[in-house]
Amino acid sequence: MTIPNWLSASRYLLAPCICIAILTNTWLVATSLFLLAIITDVLDGWLARKLSSVSAIGGLLDHSADAFLVGVILGTLSYLKFIPWILPILLISAFVQYVLDSNALKGKTLRTNRLGRYNGFGYYILSAIPLIQASMSWQVFSAPTLYYLGWGLVLTTLISMTERAALLWLSRR
């Protein structure tokens, strides 16, 4: 385990802590832990490149930690009716598809698509908005707006998954 891999793995520990903080209405704690998770996400890739320790397994660990983190947060937010219940399910399904069609379990590097990358940012942003709003007592985005943004991510996730499946099908013909 390298330092970058430890940073990635730390998000597996931070995710349930953030979930508990959300469920106990300690929003400032949840937001602070989320920001710490973002810092580990930025640092792990940078350090891996700086220390010349980039690897397929490190990339898989990084991306799976991201998917777990935002999946747990979005799952908690969907339980609280902030976002559509189907979004965390689709996020995890899209990640599994991403891993399988990249052959990452066979040591291959993960292959992203543009829409999937944008969706990844969208999951983080949609996770951050309610945390920041609640911890700062701001109301920039109304509850219906957040819900509709969630449905937008549902749609783009379905499109991304369909695109990946079509490209995989075409490549095997």
Side-chain angles (χ1 to χ4, degrees), residues 20-46:
I20 291 166
I22 292 169
L23 293 173
T24 58
N25 289 317
T26 51
W27 293 97
L28 188 55
V29 171
T31 303
S32 299
L33 293 174
F34 183 69
L35 291 173
L36 179 59
I38 290 172
I39 290 168
T40 67
D41 192 20
V42 170
L43 282 178
D44 62 4
W46 179 80

Tab-separated table of all heavy atoms in Angstrom, residues 20-46:
chain	number	residue	atom	x	y	z
A	20	ILE	N	-23.447	9.198	8.883
A	20	ILE	CA	-23.912	9.335	10.273
A	20	ILE	C	-24.102	10.811	10.631
A	20	ILE	O	-25.094	11.190	11.254
A	20	ILE	CB	-22.936	8.641	11.246
A	20	ILE	CG1	-23.006	7.127	11.048
A	20	ILE	CG2	-23.230	9.022	12.693
A	20	ILE	CD1	-21.877	6.353	11.703
A	21	ALA	N	-23.156	11.644	10.198
A	21	ALA	CA	-23.270	13.082	10.480
A	21	ALA	C	-24.513	13.673	9.817
A	21	ALA	O	-25.212	14.495	10.423
A	21	ALA	CB	-22.004	13.809	10.022
A	22	ILE	N	-24.812	13.245	8.599
A	22	ILE	CA	-26.014	13.733	7.921
A	22	ILE	C	-27.256	13.288	8.682
A	22	ILE	O	-28.162	14.086	8.955
A	22	ILE	CB	-26.070	13.232	6.460
A	22	ILE	CG1	-24.973	13.883	5.617
A	22	ILE	CG2	-27.447	13.509	5.840
A	22	ILE	CD1	-24.788	13.249	4.242
A	23	LEU	N	-27.315	12.015	9.029
A	23	LEU	CA	-28.496	11.468	9.697
A	23	LEU	C	-28.713	12.037	11.100
A	23	LEU	O	-29.837	12.030	11.606
A	23	LEU	CB	-28.417	9.941	9.747
A	23	LEU	CG	-28.515	9.240	8.389
A	23	LEU	CD1	-28.242	7.755	8.540
A	23	LEU	CD2	-29.869	9.506	7.743
A	24	THR	N	-27.640	12.533	11.714
A	24	THR	CA	-27.766	13.138	13.048
A	24	THR	C	-27.815	14.666	12.982
A	24	THR	O	-27.697	15.341	14.004
A	24	THR	CB	-26.605	12.690	13.965
A	24	THR	OG1	-25.360	13.056	13.362
A	24	THR	CG2	-26.655	11.194	14.220
A	25	ASN	N	-27.983	15.190	11.772
A	25	ASN	CA	-28.094	16.633	11.539
A	25	ASN	C	-26.887	17.424	12.037
A	25	ASN	O	-27.030	18.570	12.449
A	25	ASN	CB	-29.386	17.193	12.151
A	25	ASN	CG	-30.600	16.756	11.388
A	25	ASN	OD1	-30.609	16.766	10.159
A	25	ASN	ND2	-31.630	16.341	12.104
A	26	THR	N	-25.733	16.826	11.983
A	26	THR	CA	-24.499	17.554	12.285
A	26	THR	C	-23.844	17.896	10.943
A	26	THR	O	-22.841	17.308	10.539
A	26	THR	CB	-23.564	16.733	13.214
A	26	THR	OG1	-23.397	15.426	12.673
A	26	THR	CG2	-24.122	16.642	14.614
A	27	TRP	N	-24.476	18.840	10.276
A	27	TRP	CA	-24.141	19.181	8.899
A	27	TRP	C	-22.749	19.759	8.748
A	27	TRP	O	-22.079	19.512	7.743
A	27	TRP	CB	-25.192	20.134	8.333
A	27	TRP	CG	-26.515	19.478	8.191
A	27	TRP	CD1	-27.566	19.539	9.063
A	27	TRP	CD2	-26.939	18.620	7.140
A	27	TRP	NE1	-28.619	18.780	8.609
A	27	TRP	CE2	-28.254	18.200	7.417
A	27	TRP	CE3	-26.336	18.159	5.971
A	27	TRP	CZ2	-28.970	17.358	6.584
A	27	TRP	CZ3	-27.053	17.321	5.129
A	27	TRP	CH2	-28.363	16.931	5.441
A	28	LEU	N	-22.295	20.539	9.726
A	28	LEU	CA	-20.951	21.102	9.631
A	28	LEU	C	-19.903	19.991	9.685
A	28	LEU	O	-18.907	20.029	8.954
A	28	LEU	CB	-20.712	22.134	10.734
A	28	LEU	CG	-19.423	22.940	10.627
A	28	LEU	CD1	-19.309	23.650	9.279
A	28	LEU	CD2	-19.328	23.941	11.765
A	29	VAL	N	-20.136	18.984	10.514
A	29	VAL	CA	-19.233	17.833	10.573
A	29	VAL	C	-19.254	17.096	9.235
A	29	VAL	O	-18.205	16.750	8.685
A	29	VAL	CB	-19.613	16.884	11.737
A	29	VAL	CG1	-18.822	15.587	11.669
A	29	VAL	CG2	-19.420	17.575	13.076
A	30	ALA	N	-20.461	16.868	8.713
A	30	ALA	CA	-20.589	16.170	7.424
A	30	ALA	C	-19.855	16.927	6.324
A	30	ALA	O	-19.119	16.327	5.529
A	30	ALA	CB	-22.061	16.000	7.065
A	31	THR	N	-20.032	18.232	6.290
A	31	THR	CA	-19.385	19.052	5.260
A	31	THR	C	-17.862	19.042	5.429
A	31	THR	O	-17.125	18.929	4.443
A	31	THR	CB	-19.920	20.490	5.306
A	31	THR	OG1	-21.347	20.447	5.148
A	31	THR	CG2	-19.325	21.352	4.211
A	32	SER	N	-17.395	19.145	6.659
A	32	SER	CA	-15.950	19.126	6.914
A	32	SER	C	-15.336	17.798	6.488
A	32	SER	O	-14.273	17.772	5.849
A	32	SER	CB	-15.676	19.368	8.403
A	32	SER	OG	-16.169	20.629	8.787
A	33	LEU	N	-15.992	16.699	6.815
A	33	LEU	CA	-15.491	15.380	6.414
A	33	LEU	C	-15.534	15.220	4.896
A	33	LEU	O	-14.635	14.619	4.301
A	33	LEU	CB	-16.287	14.272	7.100
A	33	LEU	CG	-16.110	14.167	8.619
A	33	LEU	CD1	-17.069	13.137	9.197
A	33	LEU	CD2	-14.672	13.833	8.973
A	34	PHE	N	-16.572	15.758	4.273
A	34	PHE	CA	-16.679	15.703	2.811
A	34	PHE	C	-15.529	16.482	2.171
A	34	PHE	O	-14.919	16.023	1.202
A	34	PHE	CB	-18.038	16.244	2.364
A	34	PHE	CG	-18.270	16.157	0.890
A	34	PHE	CD1	-18.446	14.935	0.266
A	34	PHE	CD2	-18.327	17.305	0.110
A	34	PHE	CE1	-18.664	14.853	-1.104
A	34	PHE	CE2	-18.548	17.239	-1.257
A	34	PHE	CZ	-18.720	16.000	-1.860
A	35	LEU	N	-15.230	17.659	2.705
A	35	LEU	CA	-14.103	18.435	2.182
A	35	LEU	C	-12.784	17.691	2.366
A	35	LEU	O	-11.924	17.718	1.478
A	35	LEU	CB	-14.051	19.820	2.837
A	35	LEU	CG	-15.182	20.767	2.443
A	35	LEU	CD1	-15.130	22.048	3.269
A	35	LEU	CD2	-15.152	21.084	0.959
A	36	LEU	N	-12.630	17.013	3.500
A	36	LEU	CA	-11.442	16.184	3.715
A	36	LEU	C	-11.372	15.073	2.659
A	36	LEU	O	-10.297	14.790	2.119
A	36	LEU	CB	-11.457	15.590	5.123
A	36	LEU	CG	-10.292	14.675	5.490
A	36	LEU	CD1	-8.954	15.403	5.377
A	36	LEU	CD2	-10.499	14.106	6.891
A	37	ALA	N	-12.508	14.466	2.353
A	37	ALA	CA	-12.548	13.420	1.320
A	37	ALA	C	-12.131	13.984	-0.042
A	37	ALA	O	-11.396	13.331	-0.787
A	37	ALA	CB	-13.940	12.801	1.247
A	38	ILE	N	-12.591	15.182	-0.357
A	38	ILE	CA	-12.211	15.812	-1.628
A	38	ILE	C	-10.701	16.065	-1.659
A	38	ILE	O	-10.041	15.829	-2.678
A	38	ILE	CB	-13.002	17.119	-1.856
A	38	ILE	CG1	-14.469	16.787	-2.132
A	38	ILE	CG2	-12.405	17.935	-2.996
A	38	ILE	CD1	-15.378	17.991	-2.172
A	39	ILE	N	-10.152	16.515	-0.547
A	39	ILE	CA	-8.703	16.749	-0.481
A	39	ILE	C	-7.945	15.446	-0.728
A	39	ILE	O	-6.969	15.420	-1.479
A	39	ILE	CB	-8.322	17.390	0.867
A	39	ILE	CG1	-8.846	18.829	0.924
A	39	ILE	CG2	-6.815	17.351	1.095
A	39	ILE	CD1	-8.788	19.463	2.303
A	40	THR	N	-8.408	14.334	-0.114
A	40	THR	CA	-7.720	13.054	-0.345
A	40	THR	C	-7.837	12.639	-1.806
A	40	THR	O	-6.903	12.040	-2.353
A	40	THR	CB	-8.268	11.923	0.552
A	40	THR	OG1	-9.607	11.606	0.180
A	40	THR	CG2	-8.179	12.280	2.023
A	41	ASP	N	-8.958	12.974	-2.439
A	41	ASP	CA	-9.146	12.613	-3.843
A	41	ASP	C	-8.198	13.401	-4.742
A	41	ASP	O	-7.646	12.865	-5.701
A	41	ASP	CB	-10.600	12.842	-4.256
A	41	ASP	CG	-10.930	12.234	-5.596
A	41	ASP	OD1	-10.203	11.321	-6.054
A	41	ASP	OD2	-11.927	12.658	-6.205
A	42	VAL	N	-8.007	14.654	-4.434
A	42	VAL	CA	-7.082	15.478	-5.219
A	42	VAL	C	-5.635	15.036	-4.979
A	42	VAL	O	-4.851	14.892	-5.916
A	42	VAL	CB	-7.264	16.975	-4.877
A	42	VAL	CG1	-6.167	17.826	-5.493
A	42	VAL	CG2	-8.642	17.458	-5.311
A	43	LEU	N	-5.305	14.785	-3.720
A	43	LEU	CA	-3.921	14.448	-3.378
A	43	LEU	C	-3.490	13.068	-3.855
A	43	LEU	O	-2.325	12.886	-4.224
A	43	LEU	CB	-3.715	14.536	-1.859
A	43	LEU	CG	-3.561	15.917	-1.276
A	43	LEU	CD1	-3.408	15.837	0.247
A	43	LEU	CD2	-2.373	16.642	-1.883
A	44	ASP	N	-4.411	12.081	-3.845
A	44	ASP	CA	-3.962	10.718	-4.179
A	44	ASP	C	-3.410	10.629	-5.592
A	44	ASP	O	-2.345	10.066	-5.805
A	44	ASP	CB	-5.039	9.660	-3.901
A	44	ASP	CG	-6.306	9.826	-4.718
A	44	ASP	OD1	-6.377	10.713	-5.593
A	44	ASP	OD2	-7.254	9.059	-4.467
A	45	GLY	N	-4.096	11.200	-6.558
A	45	GLY	CA	-3.607	11.164	-7.938
A	45	GLY	C	-2.344	11.979	-8.128
A	45	GLY	O	-1.399	11.547	-8.797
A	46	TRP	N	-2.316	13.157	-7.521
A	46	TRP	CA	-1.141	14.023	-7.633
A	46	TRP	C	0.078	13.330	-7.039
A	46	TRP	O	1.152	13.306	-7.652
A	46	TRP	CB	-1.423	15.355	-6.936
A	46	TRP	CG	-0.265	16.299	-6.989
A	46	TRP	CD1	0.107	17.097	-8.039
A	46	TRP	CD2	0.701	16.523	-5.963
A	46	TRP	NE1	1.233	17.814	-7.727
A	46	TRP	CE2	1.625	17.476	-6.442
A	46	TRP	CE3	0.876	16.023	-4.679
A	46	TRP	CZ2	2.699	17.928	-5.687
A	46	TRP	CZ3	1.941	16.477	-3.922
A	46	TRP	CH2	2.842	17.417	-4.430
